[in-house]
Amino acid sequence: MSISSDIIRGNTETIILAQLLEKDSYGYEISKTVQVKSQNRFDLKEATLYSAFRRLEANCYIESYWGGEEKGARRRYYKITDVGKQAYKKNKADWDEAKEIIDQLLV
Amino acid sequence: MQNKISQYVATLFENKPNNPVINELQEEIICNLQEMYTDYITQGLNQEEAFEKVVKSIGNIDELIENTCPTPKFSKAQVIREKIFLCVCILVAFTTIMATPAIALADTYSFWESAFEIPYCILGVVSSITMIISIASVIRRKNDALQGLHQLNSWKNYYPARYKSYKLSIRTLWIILSITFVILTILTKTYILYYPSIHEYNYNFLNMSIVFPIGILAHKFIRTIFQLITN
Protein backbone atom coordinates (compact mmCIF):
# COMPACT_ATOMS: atom_id res chain seq x y z
CA MET A 1 0.00 0.00 0.00
CA SER A 2 1.30 3.44 -0.87
CA ILE A 3 0.49 6.45 1.30
CA SER A 4 0.12 9.81 -0.41
CA SER A 5 -1.00 11.67 2.68
CA ASP A 6 -0.47 15.43 2.86
CA ILE A 7 0.93 14.94 6.36
CA ILE A 8 3.85 12.94 4.98
CA ARG A 9 4.28 15.11 1.89
CA GLY A 10 4.46 18.16 4.11
CA ASN A 11 7.49 16.62 5.77
CA THR A 12 9.36 15.55 2.62
CA GLU A 13 12.18 17.99 3.21
CA THR A 14 12.68 16.86 6.83
CA ILE A 15 12.64 13.22 5.68
CA ILE A 16 15.38 14.00 3.14
CA LEU A 17 17.43 15.87 5.76
CA ALA A 18 17.11 12.85 8.06
CA GLN A 19 18.58 10.56 5.38
CA LEU A 20 21.43 12.99 4.72
CA LEU A 21 22.31 13.11 8.44
CA GLU A 22 23.57 9.55 8.07
CA LYS A 23 25.73 10.12 4.99
CA ASP A 24 26.01 12.07 1.73
CA SER A 25 23.65 10.57 -0.78
CA TYR A 26 22.05 10.97 -4.22
CA GLY A 27 18.47 11.11 -5.44
CA TYR A 28 17.73 7.50 -6.20
CA GLU A 29 19.51 6.20 -3.09
CA ILE A 30 17.46 8.50 -0.86
CA SER A 31 14.26 7.53 -2.65
CA LYS A 32 15.08 3.82 -2.24
CA THR A 33 16.00 4.20 1.44
CA VAL A 34 12.72 6.00 2.12
CA GLN A 35 10.81 3.23 0.37
CA VAL A 36 12.61 0.48 2.28
CA LYS A 37 12.33 2.20 5.70
CA SER A 38 8.61 2.82 5.14
CA GLN A 39 8.20 -0.82 4.09
CA ASN A 40 6.98 0.21 0.62
CA ARG A 41 4.15 2.27 2.11
CA PHE A 42 5.55 5.61 0.97
CA ASP A 43 7.46 6.45 -2.18
CA LEU A 44 8.80 9.75 -3.42
CA LYS A 45 8.13 10.76 -7.02
CA GLU A 46 11.21 12.01 -8.86
CA ALA A 47 9.70 15.47 -9.41
CA THR A 48 8.76 15.81 -5.71
CA LEU A 49 12.22 14.68 -4.65
CA TYR A 50 14.10 17.12 -6.90
CA SER A 51 11.75 19.99 -6.09
CA ALA A 52 12.55 19.36 -2.42
CA PHE A 53 16.30 19.28 -3.22
CA ARG A 54 16.03 22.66 -4.97
CA ARG A 55 14.18 24.21 -2.03
CA LEU A 56 16.66 22.77 0.46
CA GLU A 57 19.55 24.08 -1.61
CA ALA A 58 17.94 27.51 -1.88
CA ASN A 59 17.65 27.60 1.92
CA CYS A 60 21.29 26.46 2.24
CA TYR A 61 20.19 23.34 4.17
CA ILE A 62 22.06 21.09 1.74
CA GLU A 63 24.92 21.39 -0.74
CA SER A 64 25.50 19.32 -3.85
CA TYR A 65 28.52 18.02 -5.71
CA TRP A 66 29.02 15.79 -8.73
CA GLY A 67 30.23 12.25 -8.25
CA GLY A 68 31.40 9.61 -10.67
CA GLU A 69 29.84 8.80 -14.02
CA GLU A 70 27.25 5.99 -14.20
CA LYS A 71 26.35 4.67 -17.67
CA GLY A 72 27.02 7.97 -19.37
CA ALA A 73 25.40 10.20 -16.76
CA ARG A 74 26.88 11.69 -13.61
CA ARG A 75 25.50 11.28 -10.11
CA ARG A 76 24.86 14.38 -8.06
CA TYR A 77 25.44 13.89 -4.35
CA TYR A 78 23.85 15.94 -1.61
CA LYS A 79 25.38 16.86 1.73
CA ILE A 80 23.64 18.37 4.74
CA THR A 81 25.03 21.68 6.03
CA ASP A 82 25.21 22.93 9.61
CA VAL A 83 22.21 25.16 8.92
CA GLY A 84 20.44 22.08 7.58
CA LYS A 85 21.24 20.12 10.75
CA GLN A 86 19.76 22.90 12.90
CA ALA A 87 16.68 23.06 10.64
CA TYR A 88 16.28 19.29 10.98
CA LYS A 89 16.43 19.48 14.80
CA LYS A 90 13.79 22.20 14.82
CA ASN A 91 11.50 20.36 12.37
CA LYS A 92 11.89 17.15 14.36
CA ALA A 93 10.97 18.94 17.60
CA ASP A 94 7.95 20.52 15.87
CA TRP A 95 6.86 17.13 14.58
CA ASP A 96 7.22 15.47 18.01
CA GLU A 97 5.11 18.19 19.55
CA ALA A 98 2.46 18.00 16.80
CA LYS A 99 2.37 14.20 17.11
CA GLU A 100 1.87 14.45 20.87
CA ILE A 101 -1.02 16.91 20.45
CA ILE A 102 -2.71 14.81 17.76
CA ASP A 103 -2.27 11.65 19.87
CA GLN A 104 -4.02 13.38 22.72
CA LEU A 105 -6.81 14.64 20.49
CA LEU A 106 -7.46 11.47 18.53
CA VAL A 107 -8.67 8.82 20.90
CA MET B 1 16.47 0.48 -23.15
CA GLN B 2 18.80 2.80 -21.20
CA ASN B 3 18.79 5.02 -24.30
CA LYS B 4 15.01 4.88 -24.36
CA ILE B 5 14.98 6.35 -20.85
CA SER B 6 17.33 9.16 -21.90
CA GLN B 7 15.19 9.87 -24.94
CA TYR B 8 12.01 9.86 -22.89
CA VAL B 9 13.44 12.32 -20.37
CA ALA B 10 14.72 14.47 -23.25
CA THR B 11 11.16 14.72 -24.62
CA LEU B 12 9.94 15.89 -21.19
CA PHE B 13 12.49 18.69 -21.30
CA GLU B 14 11.62 19.77 -24.83
CA ASN B 15 10.61 23.45 -25.07
CA LYS B 16 11.87 24.02 -21.55
CA PRO B 17 14.43 26.74 -20.72
CA ASN B 18 17.83 25.83 -22.10
CA ASN B 19 20.41 26.63 -19.45
CA PRO B 20 23.09 24.76 -17.45
CA VAL B 21 20.85 24.34 -14.39
CA ILE B 22 18.11 22.58 -16.38
CA ASN B 23 20.66 20.53 -18.35
CA GLU B 24 22.26 19.31 -15.11
CA LEU B 25 18.84 18.47 -13.67
CA GLN B 26 18.07 16.43 -16.76
CA GLU B 27 21.39 14.58 -16.46
CA GLU B 28 20.76 13.87 -12.77
CA ILE B 29 17.26 12.51 -13.43
CA ILE B 30 18.49 10.27 -16.26
CA CYS B 31 21.23 8.81 -14.04
CA ASN B 32 18.78 8.01 -11.25
CA LEU B 33 16.13 6.58 -13.56
CA GLN B 34 18.67 4.31 -15.22
CA GLU B 35 19.68 2.94 -11.83
CA MET B 36 16.02 2.47 -10.93
CA TYR B 37 15.45 0.62 -14.20
CA THR B 38 18.40 -1.71 -13.52
CA ASP B 39 16.98 -2.44 -10.05
CA TYR B 40 13.59 -3.38 -11.52
CA ILE B 41 15.26 -5.70 -14.03
CA THR B 42 17.24 -7.32 -11.17
CA GLN B 43 13.95 -7.81 -9.30
CA GLY B 44 12.69 -9.87 -12.25
CA LEU B 45 10.58 -7.41 -14.22
CA ASN B 46 10.79 -7.52 -18.01
CA GLN B 47 12.10 -4.50 -19.95
CA GLU B 48 8.68 -3.07 -20.80
CA GLU B 49 7.36 -3.40 -17.26
CA ALA B 50 10.51 -1.86 -15.82
CA PHE B 51 10.31 1.05 -18.27
CA GLU B 52 6.65 1.63 -17.44
CA LYS B 53 7.38 1.74 -13.70
CA VAL B 54 10.30 4.12 -14.24
CA VAL B 55 8.09 6.49 -16.29
CA LYS B 56 5.36 6.37 -13.60
CA SER B 57 7.87 7.36 -10.93
CA ILE B 58 8.75 10.66 -12.63
CA GLY B 59 5.75 12.80 -11.63
CA ASN B 60 5.12 16.40 -12.66
CA ILE B 61 8.19 17.73 -14.48
CA ASP B 62 6.64 21.15 -15.17
CA GLU B 63 6.30 21.82 -11.46
CA LEU B 64 9.89 20.72 -10.91
CA ILE B 65 11.19 23.03 -13.64
CA GLU B 66 9.18 25.93 -12.23
CA ASN B 67 10.76 25.22 -8.82
CA THR B 68 14.22 24.93 -10.34
CA CYS B 69 14.06 27.85 -12.75
CA PRO B 70 11.12 30.10 -11.82
CA THR B 71 9.62 32.10 -14.67
CA PRO B 72 11.15 35.55 -14.32
CA LYS B 73 8.88 38.46 -13.55
CA PHE B 74 9.44 41.56 -15.66
CA SER B 75 8.61 45.13 -14.85
CA LYS B 76 5.96 46.84 -16.99
CA ALA B 77 8.60 49.24 -18.35
CA GLN B 78 10.82 46.32 -19.45
CA VAL B 79 7.93 44.64 -21.26
CA ILE B 80 6.85 47.84 -23.02
CA ARG B 81 10.45 48.60 -24.05
CA GLU B 82 10.89 45.11 -25.48
CA LYS B 83 7.62 45.27 -27.42
CA ILE B 84 8.47 48.72 -28.80
CA PHE B 85 11.89 47.42 -29.88
CA LEU B 86 10.25 44.55 -31.80
CA CYS B 87 7.71 46.89 -33.45
CA VAL B 88 10.45 49.34 -34.46
CA CYS B 89 12.47 46.47 -35.98
CA ILE B 90 9.50 45.45 -38.11
CA LEU B 91 8.67 49.04 -39.04
CA VAL B 92 12.23 49.93 -40.01
CA ALA B 93 12.61 46.74 -42.03
CA PHE B 94 9.30 47.37 -43.79
CA THR B 95 10.13 51.02 -44.56
CA THR B 96 13.55 50.10 -45.93
CA ILE B 97 12.08 47.39 -48.15
CA MET B 98 9.53 49.85 -49.50
CA ALA B 99 12.21 52.50 -50.09
CA THR B 100 14.63 50.17 -51.92
CA PRO B 101 12.68 49.62 -55.18
CA ALA B 102 11.66 53.29 -55.22
CA ILE B 103 15.31 54.35 -55.20
CA ALA B 104 16.39 51.59 -57.56
CA LEU B 105 13.74 52.53 -60.14
CA ALA B 106 14.37 56.28 -60.00
CA ASP B 107 15.36 57.45 -63.49
CA THR B 108 17.09 60.59 -62.24
CA TYR B 109 20.35 58.72 -61.67
CA SER B 110 23.17 58.03 -64.08
CA PHE B 111 24.88 54.60 -64.14
CA TRP B 112 27.51 55.63 -61.55
CA GLU B 113 24.98 57.30 -59.36
CA SER B 114 22.95 54.10 -59.50
CA ALA B 115 25.94 52.23 -58.10
CA PHE B 116 25.26 54.17 -54.93
CA GLU B 117 22.06 52.10 -54.66
CA ILE B 118 23.94 48.89 -53.88
CA PRO B 119 24.07 49.56 -50.13
CA TYR B 120 20.32 50.16 -50.23
CA CYS B 121 19.81 46.83 -51.98
CA ILE B 122 21.97 45.04 -49.39
CA LEU B 123 20.07 46.84 -46.69
CA GLY B 124 16.82 45.73 -48.34
CA VAL B 125 17.89 42.07 -48.21
CA VAL B 126 19.01 42.37 -44.57
CA SER B 127 15.75 44.15 -43.76
CA SER B 128 13.69 41.43 -45.44
CA ILE B 129 15.43 38.74 -43.41
CA THR B 130 15.06 40.73 -40.18
CA MET B 131 11.40 41.38 -40.86
CA ILE B 132 10.71 37.72 -41.66
CA ILE B 133 12.47 36.64 -38.44
CA SER B 134 10.59 39.22 -36.37
CA ILE B 135 7.16 38.43 -37.83
CA ALA B 136 7.78 34.67 -37.67
CA SER B 137 8.79 34.95 -34.02
CA VAL B 138 5.59 36.89 -33.24
CA ILE B 139 3.43 34.33 -35.05
CA ARG B 140 5.25 31.37 -33.50
CA ARG B 141 4.48 32.39 -29.97
CA LYS B 142 1.96 35.01 -28.96
CA ASN B 143 4.10 36.31 -26.14
CA ASP B 144 7.31 36.05 -28.10
CA ALA B 145 8.07 39.71 -27.61
CA LEU B 146 9.15 38.68 -24.13
CA GLN B 147 11.41 35.91 -25.37
CA GLY B 148 14.23 38.42 -25.76
CA LEU B 149 13.90 39.39 -22.11
CA HIS B 150 13.78 35.75 -21.01
CA GLN B 151 16.93 35.11 -22.98
CA LEU B 152 18.73 38.18 -21.69
CA ASN B 153 17.90 37.19 -18.11
CA SER B 154 19.02 33.65 -18.82
CA TRP B 155 22.35 34.87 -20.25
CA LYS B 156 22.81 37.20 -17.29
CA ASN B 157 22.25 34.37 -14.78
CA TYR B 158 23.87 31.41 -16.49
CA TYR B 159 26.26 32.73 -19.14
CA PRO B 160 27.75 35.88 -17.54
CA ALA B 161 30.72 35.99 -19.94
CA ARG B 162 28.43 35.77 -22.98
CA TYR B 163 26.08 38.37 -21.52
CA LYS B 164 29.04 40.69 -20.94
CA SER B 165 30.29 40.35 -24.53
CA TYR B 166 26.75 40.85 -25.86
CA LYS B 167 26.35 44.06 -23.88
CA LEU B 168 29.81 45.22 -24.98
CA SER B 169 28.98 44.53 -28.66
CA ILE B 170 25.71 46.45 -28.43
CA ARG B 171 27.31 49.41 -26.65
CA THR B 172 30.17 49.52 -29.18
CA LEU B 173 27.68 49.39 -32.05
CA TRP B 174 25.66 52.35 -30.76
CA ILE B 175 28.77 54.40 -29.92
CA ILE B 176 30.15 53.86 -33.46
CA LEU B 177 26.77 54.72 -35.00
CA SER B 178 26.39 57.85 -32.88
CA ILE B 179 29.87 59.04 -33.87
CA THR B 180 29.09 58.24 -37.54
CA PHE B 181 25.87 60.19 -37.27
CA VAL B 182 27.64 63.25 -35.83
CA ILE B 183 30.41 63.12 -38.47
CA LEU B 184 27.89 62.74 -41.31
CA THR B 185 25.80 65.57 -39.94
CA ILE B 186 28.83 67.85 -39.91
CA LEU B 187 30.13 66.72 -43.33
CA THR B 188 26.77 66.99 -45.10
CA LYS B 189 25.70 70.03 -43.11
CA THR B 190 22.30 68.48 -42.49
CA TYR B 191 22.07 70.34 -39.22
CA ILE B 192 21.05 73.28 -41.42
CA LEU B 193 17.32 73.09 -42.10
CA TYR B 194 16.45 73.57 -45.78
CA TYR B 195 14.37 71.95 -48.51
CA PRO B 196 16.71 69.60 -50.35
CA SER B 197 16.63 69.06 -54.10
CA ILE B 198 16.24 65.51 -55.42
CA HIS B 199 20.05 64.97 -55.47
CA GLU B 200 20.66 66.41 -52.02
CA TYR B 201 17.85 64.24 -50.69
CA ASN B 202 20.23 61.33 -51.08
CA TYR B 203 22.55 62.67 -48.40
CA ASN B 204 19.70 63.52 -46.07
CA PHE B 205 18.24 60.07 -46.52
CA LEU B 206 21.61 58.47 -45.85
CA ASN B 207 22.26 60.58 -42.80
CA MET B 208 18.92 60.87 -41.07
CA SER B 209 17.06 57.79 -42.20
CA ILE B 210 19.72 55.16 -42.62
CA VAL B 211 22.26 55.45 -39.80
CA PHE B 212 19.89 54.70 -36.92
CA PRO B 213 17.72 52.18 -38.77
CA ILE B 214 20.97 50.35 -39.62
CA GLY B 215 21.73 50.48 -35.90
CA ILE B 216 18.40 48.89 -35.02
CA LEU B 217 18.83 46.18 -37.63
CA ALA B 218 22.42 45.53 -36.53
CA HIS B 219 21.23 45.41 -32.91
CA LYS B 220 18.64 42.78 -33.84
CA PHE B 221 21.22 40.95 -35.94
CA ILE B 222 23.76 40.80 -33.07
CA ARG B 223 21.07 39.52 -30.72
CA THR B 224 20.12 36.82 -33.24
CA ILE B 225 23.78 35.75 -33.50
CA PHE B 226 24.04 35.48 -29.71
CA GLN B 227 20.75 33.56 -29.61
CA LEU B 228 22.11 31.08 -32.13
CA ILE B 229 25.33 30.64 -30.11
CA THR B 230 23.34 30.09 -26.88
CA ASN B 231 20.99 27.54 -28.45
Side-chain angles (χ1 to χ4, degrees):
Chain A
M1 193 181 83
S2 180
I3 299 172
S4 60
S5 157
D6 283 346
I7 298 172
I8 298 184
R9 267 189 274 140
N11 287 284
T12 306
E13 287 162 34
T14 314
I15 293 169
I16 293 170
L17 288 177
Q19 309 316 308
L20 293 174
L21 273 177
E22 294 170 18
K23 63 175 177 116
D24 295 3
S25 190
Y26 58 95
Y28 181 58
E29 193 177 45
I30 291 173
S31 162
K32 209 161 70 172
T33 310
V34 167
Q35 208 175 358
V36 170
K37 281 187 178 173
S38 69
Q39 293 165 336
N40 288 328
R41 288 188 297 171
F42 178 64
D43 58 344
L44 283 165
K45 293 268 183 209
E46 293 289 308
T48 312
L49 183 68
Y50 293 107
S51 293
F53 281 149
R54 297 293 92 84
R55 284 194 295 272
L56 288 167
E57 270 192 315
N59 288 325
C60 301
Y61 292 167
I62 59 171
E63 286 168 352
S64 66
Y65 59 93
W66 287 99
E69 199 165 293
E70 280 288 315
K71 290 162 190 160
R74 290 177 300 164
R75 263 187 199 152
R76 181 190 261 177
Y77 283 86
Y78 294 92
K79 179 187 179 179
I80 192 164
T81 62
D82 290 339
V83 185
K85 284 175 188 168
Q86 282 171 13
Y88 172 76
K89 271 184 197 165
K90 190 188 171 295
N91 291 353
K92 176 80 169 57
D94 287 349
W95 169 252
D96 287 339
E97 196 182 340
K99 199 173 119 189
E100 203 182 308
I101 294 167
I102 291 170
D103 281 345
Q104 282 171 351
L105 294 173
L106 303 180
V107 184
Chain B
M1 194 54 87
Q2 302 282 4
N3 278 344
K4 197 174 165 185
I5 292 171
S6 309
Q7 282 165 7
Y8 181 79
V9 174
T11 57
L12 295 177
F13 280 83
E14 261 175 14
N15 303 321
K16 299 286 183 281
N18 182 16
N19 61 54
V21 175
I22 295 294
N23 294 343
E24 283 180 0
L25 177 67
Q26 189 178 342
E27 187 180 351
E28 187 183 0
I29 289 176
I30 289 172
C31 181
N32 288 324
L33 292 181
Q34 283 177 343
E35 197 176 331
M36 187 187 287
Y37 173 81
T38 312
D39 270 4
Y40 283 136
I41 295 290
T42 316
Q43 286 167 22
L45 269 66
N46 67 37
Q47 288 192 343
E48 287 307 317
E49 287 168 341
F51 180 74
E52 205 174 303
K53 284 199 97 171
V54 164
V55 167
K56 270 188 186 167
S57 77
I58 296 173
N60 188 350
I61 283 288
D62 290 334
E63 190 190 322
L64 171 60
I65 288 170
E66 188 56 35
N67 280 334
T68 308
C69 244
T71 311
K73 302 271 181 287
F74 305 118
S75 71
K76 243 181 178 174
Q78 268 183 306
V79 173
I80 290 169
R81 208 166 52 217
E82 190 67 14
K83 284 186 175 173
I84 288 174
F85 178 69
L86 192 71
C87 291
V88 170
C89 283
I90 295 172
L91 195 72
V92 167
F94 185 70
T95 313
T96 320
I97 292 165
M98 296 306 283
T100 308
I103 294 162
L105 293 172
D107 55 3
T108 49
Y109 295 114
S110 69
F111 175 78
W112 292 109
E113 280 171 329
S114 299
F116 189 65
E117 294 153 17
I118 291 170
Y120 292 121
C121 294
I122 295 168
L123 196 66
V125 173
V126 175
S127 303
S128 309
I129 295 166
T130 312
M131 192 172 77
I132 288 165
I133 292 171
S134 304
I135 292 174
S137 67
V138 171
I139 293 168
R140 192 168 61 85
R141 201 180 294 180
K142 207 177 166 188
N143 209 18
D144 206 61
L146 298 179
Q147 276 305 97
L149 280 182
H150 279 290
Q151 266 163 348
L152 285 182
N153 274 8
S154 170
W155 296 347
K156 200 174 179 178
N157 294 333
Y158 304 112
Y159 304 97
R162 192 167 296 164
Y163 180 74
K164 227 175 165 181
S165 44
Y166 167 74
K167 279 282 171 193
L168 185 71
S169 319
I170 293 298
R171 275 184 196 145
T172 312
L173 167 79
W174 285 108
I175 288 169
I176 291 170
L177 282 165
S178 303
I179 293 169
T180 311
F181 176 74
V182 171
I183 292 170
L184 276 173
T185 307
I186 294 166
L187 288 178
T188 58
K189 297 181 181 174
T190 42
Y191 52 85
I192 301 167
L193 288 173
Y194 66 105
Y195 294 103
S197 70
I198 186 72
H199 293 286
E200 285 161 336
Y201 174 76
N202 232 345
Y203 284 112
N204 287 330
F205 188 72
L206 176 76
N207 190 4
M208 309 297 281
S209 316
I210 294 292
V211 173
F212 287 104
I214 283 178
I216 290 166
L217 291 177
H219 189 132
K220 182 85 179 163
F221 186 70
I222 290 172
R223 188 185 272 193
T224 308
I225 297 287
F226 274 84
Q227 281 168 342
L228 289 174
I229 295 169
T230 311
N231 294 335

